[in-house]
Amino acid sequence: MNYKISYDDFRQKFLDFFVSKNHKLIKNSSLIPENDPTVLFTTAGMQPLVPYLLGEKHPEGRRLTNVQRCVRTVDIGEVGDISHFTFFEMLGNWSLGDYFKEEAIKMSFEFLTQVLKINKKELAVTVWIGNESAPKDVESYNIWKTIGLEDSQICWCEDNWWGPAGITGPCGPCSEMFFNTQGEKCSPTCGPLCKCGRYLEIWNDVFMEYNKNSDGSFSKLAQQNVDTGMGLERTLGILNGFKDNYETELFSAVLAKLAEISGKKYQNNLRAFRKIADHTRTAVFLLGDENGIAPSNIDQGYILRRLIRIAIRNLKQLEVSGHVLAELAEIYIEKYKKYYPILETRKDFILHELNKEEILFNRTIHSGLKELAKVLEKLQSNDTIRGEIAFKLYDTYGFPLEFTEEIASEKGVKVDVAGFNKFFAEHQEKSRRGAEQKFKGGLADHSEITTRLHTATHILHTVLRKNFGQDIKQKGSNITAERMRFDFSFDRKFTPDELKFIEQKVNEVIEQNLEVQMEEMMLEEAQQAGAIGLFTNKYDKEKVKVYSVGKFSKEICGGPHVKNTSEMGHFRILKEEASSAGVRRIKAVLE
Ligand code: SER
C-alpha cells in the first residue's frame, strides 16, 4: 500500500511547522504521572504542563510543541469501531500566556489547509455556546469566519469545554476541528453534531484561561493559555483516505500477523481484530514506560490487566490458542522504538509480562467461561447478572467487570455494576486494612535501630539510582527491628558481584561520617532542589520534610533519621529477590 503521507512524515511536518512558528520542541512525558494523584494516566499533552499553565515559568519558554503518548480508558467499551483507541499519540502546541485565540486558530487553519493541504470545504468547527461560568465564544466564531469558513461550517456547541484533566486545574472553552470523511453531507443540516458520524474530530484548540477549583467553581487564571491536541491516528487515517483508522500503517503489520496466526480475515472479524490490536498496543506502552507497571489488581496495574485479558478473550474468539501477544508486541516495539527507545530497553520485560499474563489467565479463563455460560443460560435478553456473581467471576477466575459485561452484552444481558462495585469495595477495604497493618509494623516503630535502618534506605536508594539508572524508583519499604526491606523498580536480578558493589558503595557513604539534615520546604521547592521520594500530592500547600545525607542524597520523607552516618554501623545485604514483576526487593541489616 502506498501511503499519501507516512507516519514519520506526518509527525515531522507537525513539529517542523510549530518550530517554524517559534515553538520549542519538548520531551514527551511518561504515561504514568508521578506527581498527579488525581489521574491514573497521562491523557493529554497538557497534563505534564499543568504547573506552567497555572503560571510557573517553563524552562523552554512560552511556546511549546511535542507529540505526547496518551492513554484514555473511559472509551474502552467503544474500542472495536473505526476510530476509538485506548492508546493514541497527540500532536500538540501550547502557548503559556503568549498568543491566544487569534494566532492559535490561524496557525491551526494554516497547518490544515497549507501544510496538509486539506480542502477547507471538508472542514467544520465547533465553538463554545456559553453558560453561567463563561460567556459565548464570539471571538473564536469571528476568527474562523475571517479566515474563510462559512457560517454553515461553524457550529455553536455546549460540549465545547475542555478540562480539567483531573478534578481541579486549568480548563476553558475550546474550538474543535472536524473533517468530513465522506465529502458530502447526509442532509443540508449535517455537520459535526450530526448523528451520521461522517464528521470526525481531528484537532482541538483549548483556550485555557480558567481554573476549576475544588468546590466546583471556576476562577480566571493569571494568564491566557492555549492548549491544542490533534489525534495522530485519526488524522493520519484521513490524510491517507482511510475511513477505518486501523488501516493505517500503524496497525497493518499487526493485523496481518493476526490474520496469519488465526487463519481468519480482518474484514470478517473487525471488532475482535481491532480490540486485540488496540489493547496490545496500549499494554506495550504501559509495560514499556519509564515508570512501567506490571499487571496487578490495583490502580494502573489493574487497568493494564483488564486490557490484556480482553485481548486474550478476543483471541479465543478467533480460536487462537497458545501465546501470541508477545509476538504482536514485538511488531509494535519495532514500529515505535525510533520515537520511544525505552520500548526496546524494556522489551524483555514487556514480552515476559505478556506471556506471564497469558499463561496465568489461560489457567482460569476456561472454567470462568463455563461458569459464566451457565449463568447466561438461565438469563434472557435484558436480564441482569447479579453483582455478587460478577464479583465471583472477578475474584475466582480473574474476569474484569468489562470482560463479563462484554460477553453478557453479546446475549443482550446487563451486569449490575453498582452491585459489583459494592463487593469490590468491600474486598479493597479488606486489603487496605491489611496494608495499613503492615505499614504500622514498619515505619511507625521509631526505635534506634529502625531509625538507623531508615537512613540506610535513603543511601541505598541513591546508590541504586546513581549506579543502575535514574529510572529506578522506590516501590515500597518496610522496616522492622530485625532488618530493612526496600522494593524498587528494576527488571532483572542483580549478580552477586553487583550486590557486593552495592554493599560497598553504601558503606563508603556511611564511612564518610556525613551529617543528616532536615529542611522543611514546599513540595515544589523540594522537587526543584532535586529531592527524590514519593511526590504524592503536587498541589499540597503543606510543607514537606527533606532529609539530606551530606551532599549524597536528598529525599522527601517523614523521618526519623540518624544525625550522622557515623551512628549507623556496617551495611550488609541479606537477600535480593523479585518482589513482583519489574520490582526487586533487597533485605539488609546494619551490624
Ligand atoms: N487537552 C485537549 C484535548 O485533550 C487539547 O489537547 O483535547
Side-chain angles (χ1 to χ4, degrees):
M1 163 91 50
N2 278 326
Y3 292 101
K4 288 181 198 150
I5 181 167
S6 69
Y7 167 64
D8 288 337
D9 283 352
F10 175 41
R11 252 173 161 268
Q12 203 53 44
K13 276 205 160 81
F14 183 91
L15 297 173
D16 286 349
F17 176 78
F18 282 100
V19 167
S20 81
K21 304 278 183 194
N22 297 322
H23 290 64
K24 278 272 166 58
L25 173 60
I26 55 167
K27 262 183 45 195
N28 87 92
S29 301
S30 155
L31 275 171
I32 298 149
E34 281 163 81
N35 307 325
D36 192 342
T38 65
V39 287
L40 287 176
F41 297 114
T42 298
T43 57
M46 54 71 71
Q47 224 166 280
L49 296 172
V50 167
Y52 312 104
L53 293 162
L54 292 173
E56 199 180 299
K57 207 166 168 295
H58 193 286
E60 301 286 343
R62 301 203 299 169
R63 290 175 173 232
L64 310 173
T65 184
N66 81 359
V67 182
Q68 176 63 48
R69 298 163 265 184
C70 300
V71 165
R72 286 188 189 174
T73 51
V74 279
D75 289 337
I76 186 169
E78 312 273 337
V79 174
D81 69 5
I82 56 166
S83 64
H84 279 90
F85 304 100
T86 52
F87 169 90
F88 62 100
E89 289 184 287
M90 187 186 269
L91 305 158
N93 61 287
W94 293 275
S95 154
L96 304 171
D98 193 54
Y99 57 84
F100 202 44
K101 292 180 185 175
E102 184 167 355
E103 209 174 329
I105 291 178
K106 282 185 174 163
M107 285 193 288
S108 293
F109 191 68
E110 185 183 334
F111 182 70
L112 291 174
T113 57
Q114 307 292 313
V115 181
L116 300 183
K117 309 253 185 286
I118 292 178
N119 182 344
K120 72 175 183 190
K121 292 205 162 36
E122 319 279 16
L123 293 174
V125 301
T126 53
V127 287
W128 170 237
I129 202 166
N131 68 9
E132 60 288 346
S133 304
K136 186 168 174 161
D137 191 2
V138 180
E139 193 185 344
S140 294
Y141 188 98
N142 289 336
I143 299 166
W144 283 117
K145 267 206 84 168
T146 319
I147 57 179
L149 293 193
E150 307 283 331
D151 281 317
S152 61
Q153 289 173 284
I154 315 173
C155 321
W156 295 108
C157 178
E158 55 190 30
D159 292 334
N160 278 38
W161 184 274
W162 201 89
I167 299 156
T168 59
C171 52
C174 59
S175 185
E176 294 174 329
M177 288 149 262
F178 291 74
F179 179 84
N180 182 347
T181 52
Q182 298 190 18
E184 50 188 48
K185 298 182 172 214
C186 72
S187 74
T189 53
C190 178
L193 308 180
C194 182
K195 294 266 180 301
C196 74
R198 65 189 60 199
Y199 279 89
L200 206 60
E201 186 209 327
I202 50 172
W203 204 352
N204 190 6
D205 283 1
V206 188
F207 308 115
M208 292 201 156
E209 55 173 335
Y210 294 92
N211 188 58
K212 186 168 184 187
N213 307 309
S214 49
D215 62 3
S217 65
F218 296 91
S219 43
K220 279 252 177 157
L221 289 170
Q223 65 190 35
Q224 291 181 318
N225 308 290
V226 174
D227 153 46
T228 94
M230 176 186 262
L232 187 145
E233 288 75 359
R234 286 184 177 187
T235 314
L236 185 65
I238 283 166
L239 293 172
N240 287 290
F242 296 128
K243 288 198 185 88
D244 175 355
N245 287 198
Y246 287 86
E247 283 179 31
T248 60
E249 62 175 289
L250 298 173
F251 301 99
S252 44
V254 166
L255 296 179
K257 185 83 197 167
L258 208 44
E260 180 196 317
I261 295 172
S262 65
K264 295 200 163 49
K265 289 204 170 71
Y266 171 58
Q267 289 307 334
N268 301 337
N269 298 278
L270 291 170
R271 294 190 75 79
F273 269 68
R274 288 173 186 154
K275 281 187 195 195
I276 297 165
D278 171 79
H279 295 358
T280 309
R281 185 172 67 146
T282 309
V284 165
F285 275 89
L286 289 176
L287 291 161
D289 191 277
E290 48 272 48
N291 296 331
I293 47 167
S296 75
N297 284 337
I298 52 163
D299 300 338
Q300 289 102 330
Y302 182 50
I303 295 180
L304 172 61
R305 170 159 282 166
R306 266 154 49 181
L307 291 165
I308 298 175
R309 292 190 171 191
I310 293 173
I312 296 173
R313 194 253 163 172
N314 280 279
L315 283 170
K316 297 269 168 285
Q317 297 274 89
L318 297 178
E319 293 164 342
V320 173
S321 52
H323 307 131
V324 298
L325 290 179
E327 238 177 293
L328 303 180
E330 278 193 82
I331 301 175
Y332 281 129
I333 296 171
E334 212 38 51
K335 181 81 194 161
Y336 283 105
K337 69 180 186 197
K338 175 166 164 196
Y339 301 110
Y340 305 100
I342 185 85
L343 296 178
E344 178 75 2
T345 316
R346 292 179 63 87
K347 183 172 169 178
D348 289 347
F349 175 71
I350 300 172
L351 305 184
H352 176 76
E353 284 301 318
L354 288 172
N355 274 329
K356 212 167 84 181
E357 192 66 15
E358 269 187 308
I359 293 169
L360 193 69
F361 195 39
N362 276 338
R363 276 193 212 137
T364 56
I365 187 171
H366 293 293
S367 352
L369 285 173
K370 260 194 227 149
E371 179 89 16
L372 180 53
K374 261 195 256 156
V375 174
L376 285 171
E377 227 172 67
K378 295 188 206 114
L379 300 176
Q380 313 286 332
S381 170
N382 282 330
D383 283 351
T384 303
I385 296 181
R386 282 189 294 124
E388 191 179 355
I389 292 177
F391 183 73
K392 184 181 169 212
L393 288 165
Y394 161 77
D395 204 28
T396 316
Y397 304 106
F399 281 22
L401 175 68
E402 292 75 7
F403 188 101
T404 304
E405 279 184 319
E406 185 184 272
I407 300 170
S409 74
E410 286 158 13
K411 209 189 156 186
V413 170
K414 294 191 209 54
V415 179
D416 174 10
V417 177
F420 172 87
N421 286 339
K422 196 180 122 247
F423 282 96
F424 188 73
E426 276 169 19
H427 167 86
Q428 291 220 314
E429 176 63 21
K430 268 189 225 147
S431 6
R432 189 182 62 75
R433 268 190 252 126
E436 267 174 13
Q437 280 312 109
K438 268 189 234 148
F439 186 71
K440 260 199 204 133
L443 294 186
D445 175 1
H446 290 180
S447 69
E448 203 181 300
I449 175 70
T450 57
T451 303
R452 287 161 52 203
L453 285 168
H454 207 166
T455 309
T457 61
H458 282 214
I459 300 176
L460 173 63
H461 192 182
T462 301
V463 164
L464 290 169
R465 286 168 57 95
K466 284 202 167 145
N467 296 288
F468 295 93
Q470 294 292 332
D471 54 346
I472 289 184
K473 299 242 152 49
Q474 173 170 349
K475 293 286 181 192
S477 143
N478 173 277
I479 296 170
T480 67
E482 284 78 43
R483 52 103 186 107
M484 58 161 280
R485 194 182 79 197
F486 186 69
D487 294 351
F488 55 97
S489 52
F490 195 65
D491 40 13
R492 64 170 176 85
K493 193 171 173 55
F494 284 101
T495 64
D497 279 350
E498 284 172 333
L499 290 176
K500 281 235 157 54
F501 172 83
I502 294 166
E503 234 173 41
Q504 184 196 331
K505 288 281 164 199
V506 172
N507 282 318
E508 276 171 17
V509 177
I510 294 177
E511 284 156 19
Q512 287 173 41
N513 299 342
L514 299 173
E515 267 189 42
V516 179
Q517 273 170 340
M518 192 272 284
E519 262 180 289
E520 283 191 292
M521 55 181 93
M522 300 306 288
L523 195 58
E524 231 164 57
E525 293 173 72
Q527 261 172 303
Q528 272 161 15
I532 56 173
L534 301 168
F535 295 99
T536 45
N537 194 350
K538 193 183 203 175
Y539 306 114
D540 208 337
K541 296 283 173 284
E542 302 278 308
K543 288 194 165 178
V544 294
K545 289 182 179 167
V546 175
Y547 280 90
S548 306
V549 180
K551 288 203 166 56
F552 182 75
S553 108
K554 204 182 255 289
E555 184 161 344
I556 297 179
C557 175
H561 286 276
V562 298
K563 295 215 161 30
N564 192 294
T565 58
S566 60
E567 298 164 36
M568 290 175 66
H570 186 84
F571 177 82
R572 186 165 65 85
I573 294 179
L574 296 176
K575 203 170 183 186
E576 187 267 356
E577 62 193 353
S579 154
S580 60
V583 178
R584 305 297 303 179
R585 166 170 291 176
I586 285 183
K587 287 185 184 159
V589 288
L590 285 169
E591 299 171 324

